[in-house]
Amino acid sequence: MTEGRAIFPVEPWSLTEVGLDHDSLGVHESVFALANGHLGMRGSLEEGEPVVVPGTYLNGFFEERPLPYAEAGYGFPEQGQTVVNVTDGKLIRLLVKDSPLDLNYGEIIDHRRTLDLRAGVLRRSTEWRSPSGRTVRVSSTRLVSLARRSIAAIEYQVEVTDDLGDLYVALQSDLLANEDGAPDGDRDPRGAAALARPLDCELAAGRGRRAVLVHRTKRSRLRLAAGMDHLIDIPDTATEDIEAGGDLARYTLAARIPPGGSLKLVKFLAYGWSSRRSSPALRDQVEAALATAKLAGFERLLREQRELLAQHWDEADVEIEGDDELQQAVRVGMFHVLQAGLRGERQAIPAKGLTGPGYDGHTFWDTETYVLPVLTYTAPHAARDALIWRHTTLGLARERARVLGLHGAAFPWRTIRGEETSGYWPAGTAAFHINADIADAVIRYYDATLDDAFDRDYGAELLMETARLWASLGHFDAEHGFRIDGVTGPDEYTAVVDNNVYTNLMAQRNLREAAAAVARQPLVAGRLGITDEEVEEWLRAASLMAVPYDTRHGVHMQSDGFTHHEDWDFAATPREHYPLLLHYPYFELYRKQVVKQADLVMALHLRGDAFTLEEKIADFAYYEQRTTRDSSLSATQQGVVAAETGHLELAHQYWAEAALTDIQNLHHNSGHGLHIASLAGGWTVAVAGFGGMRDHGGELTFAPRLPQRISRLRFRVVYRGRKLTVTVERDRATYRLVDGDPLDIRHHGRQVRIDHDDVVLELPPPPEVEPVHQPPGCEPRRRSRG
């Protein structure tokens, strides 16, 4: 096999790499990552070489670092938080006679890896000829258990494929701490801070085929334990050894393999971390987890994985006819979204999931606005857990609001544990909309589940405390109503502005829903000391919320005065100068009509109940000409609104951009980890875009339409204990309940009742609109497979 670009065949239920592409190695490590929300492992090779970022991550496990400022300022965060590349248990080094298996050397005869979306495993097969002329085939199956949150396992097999006589091999199965976690010289601000040997060893133990290492971070004082155990199937001649100490535990197996023979090793891994438990207690915890996993055996772990995924796909799958590449990408994206949140169990969902160190492992508003809508309608228990994590940080958010001179709760722009860790105010704390985004996710989850226990114990309090923030952040103005000034909306190229429409409309919903929560949960309101006068103020602020509109252009202003700013000179902007933030000072960006990502356009989607269709058509056309999509978050929202406003072919292009973001490395930084929010967009554009699903006011509505190339779209949603299937074809939509009581919905404005029989309804034609245009060089991204 010749070296060069790897090939990705289009397959409906898997993603396969054929060949080894050294230039894309880091990207493929991200794409082939396995995780379960608690534990994540990048798709690096078992032998450890070649590698870009070997990463293994535990959700919530981080190290602190000081945040330096050229000039200190009141309220600036003093400590940053960075995800730690924890003890690597993926390593199984192979020595073939006198040559280590390293795909930088020797001859690669055949190499392929497959991410199996129904089995939930990463399979790998490599046939390799060593520099000394011996040929072996290495096969592995890697699993991070979705059923057992602390467990991973690898089956690793070595076969002799030449006829040159007995072959002596050695396997070194390692636990390795403090390995390098990021490439040198990476200055992309979307990357991660470098941590130099963040882990101190507290305990190392090895016995038989089992070993455990316990380490602790130097500053955050978090403790982790990693353990491994092994089963082997070997020829008759072999030796074994175990050692453990410091940052390395190693099980060594040496064997003689006859021609045509093979050796198999199964490696079980367990991880745990705590801020309170002792080293012996964590050691015992992972040893117990190892014991039960080894007792279950590798085949049972595989069966558990497949059974869990079978149920998930039955409730969540999106079927697409007419674009096979997009079908594959949407399922890959949904798989990674599930991996990011399924077993988080009251931890955050980071922007990169657990697939890489990008953004220091922080969680942002991406979680509530992009990821949780998918989980709410496909795996609602995972959405519930993520929102409960937000609730556990409520004390820190209250304290942050107090420091800022505000009431209620001010949630952090970026964090791991709950403290604000953004060192740049305009693109950090000033983006107060995250508080309304959290409230929006709470509202959506409650409306979709009617989970009264969640509402009582967590949700209502989140709504009330975020409403208090808006009441204190904004003010009443005799001319403009209720204003929210000095904030940054989703568009980070327009910072610290007055009356950002997205922020104001999301705050408006937050205030109204908080008032409704007070009525539902009077005991919660009483505990928080909320008075009738306070609720009246919330409702008055909501009814008088300022929403800037430019009558001359006939469009909403993204924020006060935005449409009066000077236009950005797109014609004079070289294509290689995108993203603009890496090539121009923020001063230039802030005072021009240039948009990093959908902002006002996102309001058209998430607060679509506040706009007429005519307003949406005009607003979309205006902002389409000014949006660079320098953020991977943009294509999803532009795709949804393009579909609603009649630009169906453009919506199809944005759908592909969102879903293929990482498979095609469209933003040139997928090696830092996957863009989980963008991958969630594969579901969102399918369901909210071409399915037209909205959930305003707790009512489920649909307005489906298809682009020309797509002949059929089918998706499933879980809603209030029911499973609803929607099938969209060229001229009709079919609704059917798989289980549960009848459900009332709206189809293009018409109210209908859905039960267990097919309800077939015609599709009206889309609105007739003029074509829209993007800035030069900012057309939708999708690489041709040719």
Side-chain angles (χ1 to χ4, degrees):
M1 173 177 291
T2 59
E3 294 286 335
R5 191 175 185 84
I7 300 171
F8 284 92
V10 175
E11 303 161 324
W13 284 104
S14 61
L15 183 68
T16 297
E17 167 196 63
V18 180
L20 185 69
D21 183 353
H22 282 81
D23 292 339
S24 300
L25 197 60
V27 174
H28 297 174
E29 289 169 358
S30 299
V31 170
F32 288 120
L34 295 177
N36 62 12
H38 168 68
L39 166 66
M41 293 181 165
R42 283 174 60 83
S44 50
L45 299 169
E46 285 85 4
E47 298 80 25
E49 299 289 343
V51 66
V52 177
V53 180
T56 301
Y57 310 102
L58 293 174
N59 197 347
F61 192 86
F62 68 94
E63 179 61 307
E64 293 178 343
R65 55 186 174 81
L67 288 176
Y69 298 97
E71 295 182 16
Y74 178 80
F76 284 13
E78 296 180 356
Q79 297 291 328
Q81 299 169 353
T82 296
V83 65
V84 174
N85 177 28
V86 301
T87 310
D88 190 352
K90 303 185 300 295
L91 293 169
I92 304 175
R93 304 187 190 276
L94 171 64
L95 192 75
V96 178
K97 195 175 178 182
D98 55 356
S99 301
L101 196 159
D102 182 338
L103 300 188
N104 286 316
Y105 304 99
E107 179 188 354
I108 302 173
I109 300 170
D110 183 70
H111 173 77
R112 62 190 64 221
R113 290 188 291 175
T114 298
L115 182 66
D116 188 323
L117 306 177
R118 288 188 287 199
V121 299
L122 177 63
R123 295 192 179 92
R124 172 266 184 108
S125 175
T126 302
E127 187 167 11
W128 177 76
R129 182 174 291 112
S130 74
S132 62
R134 298 306 306 263
T135 304
V136 294
R137 178 180 293 110
V138 173
S139 305
S140 68
T141 301
R142 184 185 303 177
L143 171 148
V144 173
S145 177
L146 296 170
R148 306 173 185 233
R149 70 190 301 259
S150 65
I151 296 298
I154 303 170
E155 182 183 74
Y156 189 90
Q157 182 167 324
V158 182
E159 302 173 76
V160 177
T161 57
D162 61 33
D163 56 1
L164 302 179
D166 293 347
L167 178 63
Y168 287 85
V169 301
L171 291 180
Q172 295 172 325
S173 177
D174 290 354
L175 293 175
L176 177 63
N178 284 318
E179 65 183 343
D180 291 336
D184 296 331
D186 189 347
R187 298 186 179 275
D188 191 324
R190 300 165 294 184
L195 294 177
R197 301 186 62 79
L199 300 173
D200 287 334
C201 183
E202 292 190 330
L203 186 153
R207 183 179 66 256
R209 296 172 181 163
R210 179 181 300 177
V212 177
L213 297 180
V214 181
H215 285 77
R216 196 173 192 182
T217 54
K218 294 177 172 66
R219 296 175 62 94
S220 62
R221 308 305 290 165
L222 303 180
R223 183 176 281 121
L224 81 102
M228 64 178 179
D229 204 346
H230 303 82
L231 291 173
I232 59 173
D233 182 1
I234 57 175
D236 56 0
T237 302
T239 62
E240 302 176 71
D241 186 42
I242 191 83
E243 58 180 308
D247 290 341
L248 176 67
R250 172 170 290 169
Y251 167 70
T252 302
L253 173 67
R256 176 176 58 83
I257 308 177
S262 66
L263 174 157
K264 182 187 294 184
L265 176 143
V266 177
K267 182 177 188 177
F268 298 94
L269 294 161
Y271 288 84
W273 74 268
S274 175
S275 60
R276 299 186 180 93
R277 305 196 74 197
S278 67
S279 291
L282 272 181
R283 176 199 61 199
D284 294 346
Q285 175 185 325
V286 300
E287 286 192 337
L290 279 173
T292 57
K294 188 175 181 180
L295 177 65
F298 191 69
E299 292 302 319
R300 184 182 181 89
L301 296 181
L302 291 175
R303 186 166 64 252
E304 292 173 350
Q305 194 89 332
R306 184 174 283 276
E307 289 171 353
L308 186 151
L309 284 168
Q311 179 178 349
H312 172 71
W313 290 118
D314 184 56
E315 297 174 346
D317 188 27
V318 172
E319 300 174 46
I320 304 163
E321 292 184 7
D323 191 334
D324 293 342
E325 182 182 47
L326 185 55
Q327 171 72 88
Q328 179 187 45
V330 168
R331 283 181 175 145
V332 169
M334 292 178 66
F335 177 75
H336 280 298
V337 169
L338 182 72
Q339 288 197 129
L342 183 65
R343 301 305 304 271
E345 299 183 6
R346 307 191 181 186
Q347 290 291 342
I349 299 176
K352 299 294 186 181
L354 298 173
T355 67
Y359 290 117
D360 288 312
H362 292 166
T363 187
F364 298 76
W365 67 298
D366 307 18
T367 295
E368 282 77 16
T369 302
Y370 288 80
V371 179
L372 293 196
V374 181
L375 295 177
T376 293
Y377 296 110
T378 61
H381 60 286
R384 187 182 201 269
D385 279 343
L387 290 170
I388 291 175
W389 170 76
R390 282 292 189 188
H391 186 271
T392 67
T393 70
L394 193 51
L396 294 170
R398 288 188 178 112
E399 175 59 21
R400 180 64 173 162
R402 187 195 65 77
V403 169
L404 298 174
L406 301 169
H407 300 304
F411 284 95
W413 178 243
R414 58 187 299 170
T415 191
I416 293 179
R417 186 170 59 188
E419 298 90 343
E420 178 63 83
T421 62
S422 174
Y424 184 58
W425 179 279
T429 299
F432 283 99
H433 68 83
I434 188 172
N435 300 281
D437 300 327
I438 293 168
D440 184 61
V442 169
I443 297 159
R444 180 178 294 105
Y445 172 79
Y446 177 72
D447 286 342
T449 63
L450 301 179
D451 185 342
D452 291 327
F454 169 84
D455 188 47
R456 180 192 66 236
D457 297 338
Y458 311 104
E461 188 172 14
L462 287 168
L463 292 175
M464 296 174 199
E465 290 292 62
T466 46
R468 280 177 156 168
L469 175 83
W470 298 117
S472 64
L473 183 62
H475 70 280
F476 291 97
D477 175 77
E479 183 178 356
H480 299 104
F482 188 77
R483 300 177 58 90
I484 302 176
D485 296 336
V487 301
T488 299
D491 172 25
E492 294 165 17
Y493 286 174
T494 311
V496 193
V497 298
D498 298 340
N499 292 318
N500 172 257
V501 169
Y502 174 83
T503 301
N504 284 18
L505 288 178
M506 295 295 283
Q508 181 187 64
R509 173 181 284 169
N510 192 167
L511 291 161
R512 288 172 174 164
E513 292 289 346
V518 169
R520 283 196 313 271
Q521 302 292 348
L523 294 179
V524 176
R527 174 168 57 82
L528 296 176
I530 294 174
T531 64
D532 291 343
E533 292 75 18
E534 190 173 6
V535 174
E536 289 176 8
E537 182 184 23
W538 294 351
L539 293 175
R540 179 168 172 253
S543 65
L544 296 175
M545 188 66 68
V547 181
Y549 187 80
D550 184 336
T551 55
R552 183 168 64 92
H553 290 94
V555 297
H556 288 87
M557 300 185 195
Q558 183 170 285
S559 54
D560 277 353
F562 179 85
T563 55
H564 303 302
H565 291 179
E566 184 181 358
D567 284 320
W568 183 269
D569 189 353
F570 288 106
T573 304
R575 288 177 180 255
E576 62 270 18
H577 281 191
Y578 294 101
L580 300 180
L581 65 93
L582 299 182
H583 299 92
Y584 299 93
Y586 275 115
F587 167 73
E588 276 297 299
L589 300 170
Y590 288 166
R591 62 197 188 98
K592 300 288 181 64
Q593 286 194 58
V594 57
V595 181
K596 180 182 180 186
Q597 63 197 58
D599 186 310
L600 189 285
V601 167
M602 187 157 63
L604 303 179
H605 171 204
L606 297 182
R607 280 304 318 273
D609 54 334
F611 301 87
T612 66
L613 177 59
E614 291 72 24
E615 288 173 335
K616 292 176 184 179
I617 291 170
D619 287 347
F620 180 72
Y622 186 86
Y623 287 96
E624 187 73 2
Q625 299 176 64
R626 292 160 173 82
T627 302
T628 65
R629 289 193 326 289
D630 282 349
S631 167
S632 63
L633 298 178
S634 198
T636 293
Q637 303 298 341
Q638 288 174 269
V640 169
V641 178
E644 183 178 6
T645 55
H647 303 282
L648 296 175
E649 303 313 310
L650 177 61
H652 185 187
Q653 295 172 43
Y654 282 140
W655 188 16
E657 179 178 323
L660 289 163
T661 286
D662 292 309
I663 293 176
Q664 295 190 351
N665 193 22
L666 296 179
H667 288 264
H668 310 292
N669 64 344
S670 295
H672 298 158
L674 299 178
H675 300 77
I676 299 299
S678 183
L679 297 183
W683 181 93
T684 301
V685 181
V687 176
F690 295 111
M693 190 178 91
R694 299 291 186 273
D695 50 10
H696 302 311
E699 182 182 35
L700 205 59
T701 65
F702 297 87
R705 290 189 182 95
L706 293 181
Q708 188 62 37
R709 184 173 169 184
I710 305 301
S711 59
R712 181 174 173 271
L713 170 69
R714 173 179 288 175
F715 57 86
R716 301 152 176 83
V717 294
V718 178
Y719 187 75
R720 298 183 180 177
R722 305 166 174 90
K723 184 168 65 178
L724 174 66
T725 298
V726 181
T727 304
V728 187
E729 296 170 289
R730 187 74 60 213
D731 57 355
R732 62 184 178 179
T734 303
Y735 302 89
R736 183 172 187 174
L737 274 182
V738 178
D739 52 39
D741 297 329
L743 176 67
D744 290 327
I745 67 165
R746 287 189 182 274
H747 167 85
H748 283 284
R750 171 187 170 188
Q751 186 167 342
V752 293
R753 171 157 289 194
I754 309 301
D755 56 23
H756 301 286
D757 295 322
D758 287 351
V759 177
V760 183
L761 301 170
E762 293 184 356
L763 304 184
E768 295 184 7
V769 290
E770 295 295 323
V772 295
H773 304 284
Q774 300 77 40
C778 298
E779 298 80 9
R781 305 171 175 93
R782 180 178 186 173
R783 292 180 185 164
S784 169
R785 293 186 61 85

